[in-house]
Amino acid sequence: MECPLEPNRAAMAKLGTLVLDHVVDFVAGIADHPASMGRDADAAAGLVKGFLEPPPEHPGELSALLDRLDVAASCALETAGPGYLAFVPGGGVYSAALAAFYGNAVNRYGGLAFAAPAMAAIEESVIQWMARDVCLLPEGSGGLLTTGGSMAALSAVVAARHRLLGEEISDGSVYVTPHTHHSIAKTARLAGIRARNVREVACTPDLRMDVESLADAIRDDRLAGLRPFLVVGSAGTTSTGTVDPLPELADLAEREGIWFHVDGAYGGFFQLTERGRERLTGVERADSVVLDPHKTLFAPFGTGALVVRDPASLYAAHEGGGSHRYLRDVEASHGLPNYAHLGPELTHDIRGLRAWLPLHLHGVAAFRDALDEKLDLTQYAYERLIANPALDVPWRPDLSTVAFRCRDGDKETLRLLVRINDSQRVFLSRTAIDDRQVIRMCIVSHRTHQDRIEEALDIIDNATSQRPALSERQRRRSTAPQGR
Ligand SMILES: *Cc1c(COP(=O)(O)O)cnc(C)c1O
């Protein structure tokens, strides 16, 4: 049956119901999906080949296409599931998917406020909430929603560069640590900063930026003719969830006249909780903060945010005008900014809907409670992991990530990770800290609760007590080709 580009009312409802049925089945079954694809690469290879086919000339059948989509979606890490404890999980609340559907269906233009002023106000309300209520920035702060933390970082780096360096950028230098997210080095490069001028400052043994080393680096670089313009503090590193000493970094940046950027892509929304707010003290002194609603606000992928103390700095960097131009822009549009003038994109969907609808439907407290639960679960996981004699758990978690390794060394750590992930009930990832492998458990999904964390810890306990049936040497001997 053919489906016209513009179906009639009855057909629209029918098509929508079909999609909804598939989605509800999928989402309701998420907790029971395998946490990963397992190690059968061949199955995925066949699917990938099939899905690379170009589209047909003639129409297809929606229900058959949805069946195919279900197959494609199932061939994946279950990133939305409760067992996903790898990288930084993004659960994706159902209500945000509904908001995305609504937003795409009414398809309002979000680049310039006059085109849909009330929808732009919805977006701005989300930005203001993030700037004022979450990050505690002063009145007059603002920002824009992006597709993710990296795009948000790009606009922050460009704004800092423009304000502090002007057009002569070749001597500009940026300060990070070995644990700062790679998106900063990447966006600094995109912003025309020399790779060698992205300086890695040493950390203290608890993995936080060493403020004295930072001060030394800035002084030495100035003497060498560089122009330090940007210090990046992490409000939760991706590897271990560690929070840099934000107040000290803010002091130093202020003293030196350097832009202070806080990367809160993972940790920023823990500000909603009391414990998080304590640990992230200093974020309110930032010039710019990256937040990732698609991580700790459980929004679907494609939802990032940048908030800045002075939105005119974004305007100046992206649109080329000064603050008077920004204010004129704002006055022209019901007091709303034109997001096309604050970032690289012109056309822009009303992506704030994906946060606005969930926040209004569930209330902010629901998000605070969910994040508090993650902090509790992490504390619980930490206590159980340190009780395991085979494991070394070097850092007490600041937020919701706990890192551990085998006392027996890297090889054993990597083997342990394989054993854990082979369970297909949970999926963890690893990283290297100080040249040693660590496994990390990042508890962020709104779908992850006590039961799954218990299960994860049982899996880890079993996997660590499990002696290999044969020692490595015995196994090599038994599988080695027999001599002639
Ligand atoms: C995920 C992450 C980023 C990058 O954000 P994307 O949304 O993936 O582009 C930056 N910084 C930190 C700390 C992160 O965890």
Side-chain angles (χ1 to χ4, degrees):
M1 189 190 59
E2 229 169 283
C3 180
L5 290 183
E6 187 70 341
N8 65 26
R9 254 190 104 94
M12 271 196 280
K14 203 168 146 204
L15 295 165
T17 305
L18 257 179
V19 173
L20 197 61
D21 285 347
H22 276 257
V23 165
V24 168
D25 279 346
F26 193 91
V27 176
I30 275 181
D32 298 323
H33 293 174
S36 62
M37 288 166 280
R39 284 187 277 158
D40 181 6
D42 292 347
L47 283 178
V48 166
K49 204 150 170 260
F51 280 102
L52 283 171
E53 292 291 319
E57 186 63 25
H58 300 294
E61 209 44 81
L62 181 61
S63 68
L65 292 168
L66 289 166
D67 286 342
R68 289 189 69 203
L69 282 181
D70 287 347
V71 171
S74 301
C75 172
L77 299 177
E78 186 40 275
T79 40
Y84 191 71
L85 308 171
F87 311 106
V88 180
V93 285
Y94 181 67
S95 55
L98 296 177
F101 175 69
Y102 184 94
N104 288 0
V106 303
N107 201 30
R108 289 297 173 248
Y109 185 84
L112 301 166
F114 86 91
M119 292 295 259
I122 283 178
E123 182 123 333
E124 185 63 13
S125 76
V126 169
I127 293 166
Q128 286 298 317
W129 174 73
M130 291 179 190
R132 304 290 312 278
D133 295 29
V134 177
C135 295
L136 310 177
L137 292 178
E139 195 176 336
S141 56
L144 83 163
L145 297 182
T146 64
T147 49
S150 302
M151 287 304 290
L154 175 62
S155 284
V157 171
V158 167
R161 184 202 69 193
H162 186 78
R163 174 151 291 179
L164 281 125
L165 301 182
E167 298 199 328
E168 294 305 322
I169 63 177
S170 62
D171 295 328
S173 55
V174 176
Y175 300 82
V176 298
T177 79
H179 306 297
T180 305
H181 194 273
H182 164 69
S183 59
I184 299 296
K186 181 175 170 184
T187 53
R189 177 108 124 235
L190 284 172
I193 303 306
R194 290 184 167 145
R196 66 164 184 269
N197 289 357
V198 178
R199 318 292 263 180
E200 278 194 0
V201 176
C203 284
T204 46
D206 57 359
L207 310 180
R208 301 177 211 282
M209 188 185 272
D210 179 2
V211 184
E212 255 174 58
S213 300
L214 173 64
D216 292 346
I218 290 172
R219 192 197 50 228
D220 293 350
D221 285 350
R222 283 203 205 279
L223 287 173
L226 294 186
R227 295 161 70 206
F229 75 97
L230 175 63
V231 170
V232 179
S234 295
T237 57
T238 312
S239 292
T240 53
T242 305
V243 181
D244 280 325
L246 304 179
E248 289 81 359
L249 297 183
D251 287 342
L252 185 64
E254 195 175 293
R255 234 175 15 247
E256 296 281 346
I258 295 177
W259 185 284
F260 179 39
H261 175 71
V262 171
D263 185 355
Y266 154 64
F269 285 107
F270 283 101
Q271 275 281 101
L272 289 173
T273 69
E274 208 177 299
R275 282 172 286 179
R277 200 166 278 205
E278 253 165 50
R279 289 164 204 177
L280 300 177
T281 299
V283 68
E284 71 286 351
R285 297 181 56 196
D287 291 298
S288 53
V289 186
V290 163
L291 296 167
D292 245 348
H294 64 205
K295 289 174 177 165
T296 26
L297 204 64
F298 324 129
F301 294 142
T303 321
L306 173 66
V307 293
V308 295
R309 179 172 297 275
D310 178 12
S313 62
L314 282 179
Y315 188 94
H318 293 87
E319 197 59 23
S323 60
H324 59 289
R325 294 261 305 275
Y326 170 71
L327 291 175
R328 209 158 53 199
D329 203 34
V330 167
E331 271 160 27
S333 320
H334 310 273
L336 299 164
N338 289 320
Y339 299 118
H341 298 165
L342 302 184
E345 295 174 323
L346 173 58
T347 299
H348 169 129
D349 63 321
I350 310 282
R351 50 183 70 116
L353 269 186
R354 302 198 285 270
W356 183 89
L357 187 70
L359 286 166
H360 283 256
L361 181 66
H362 310 295
V364 173
F367 291 87
R368 177 176 302 114
D369 292 349
L371 290 170
D372 255 327
E373 180 197 16
K374 305 314 150 204
L375 294 174
D376 290 340
L377 291 174
T378 310
Q379 186 59 30
Y380 173 76
Y382 175 68
E383 280 159 19
R384 271 196 56 183
L385 289 168
I386 55 177
N388 182 329
L391 298 178
D392 178 21
V393 194
W395 307 282
R396 175 179 285 280
D398 282 348
L399 297 171
S400 70
T401 303
V402 52
F404 56 95
R405 58 194 176 205
C406 288
R407 291 192 184 278
D408 290 347
D410 280 356
K411 267 197 190 146
E412 219 24 69
T413 301
L414 295 178
R415 252 182 247 138
L416 173 60
L417 181 62
V418 170
R419 276 187 224 134
I420 295 168
N421 288 345
D422 275 351
S423 73
Q424 293 198 294
R425 288 292 295 166
V426 292
F427 188 75
L428 277 62
S429 58
R430 69 183 164 91
T431 187
I433 307 266
D434 300 336
D435 289 329
R436 289 186 62 187
Q437 297 293 325
V438 296
I439 300 175
R440 43 190 294 295
M441 185 189 253
C442 183
I443 308 174
V444 165
S445 171
H446 69 289
R447 297 195 172 99
T448 304
H449 304 295
Q450 182 79 24
D451 57 341
R452 191 63 64 117
I453 293 301
E454 297 272 7
E455 193 178 342
L457 293 162
D458 290 346
I459 289 167
I460 293 168
D461 282 346
N462 289 337
T464 47
S465 60
Q466 178 187 321
R467 306 303 311 168
L470 300 171
S471 76
E472 192 59 27
R473 185 184 304 181
Q474 283 169 320
R475 199 169 64 205
R476 247 182 283 131
R477 209 181 296 140
S478 69
T479 55
Q482 298 301 313
R484 267 174 287 178

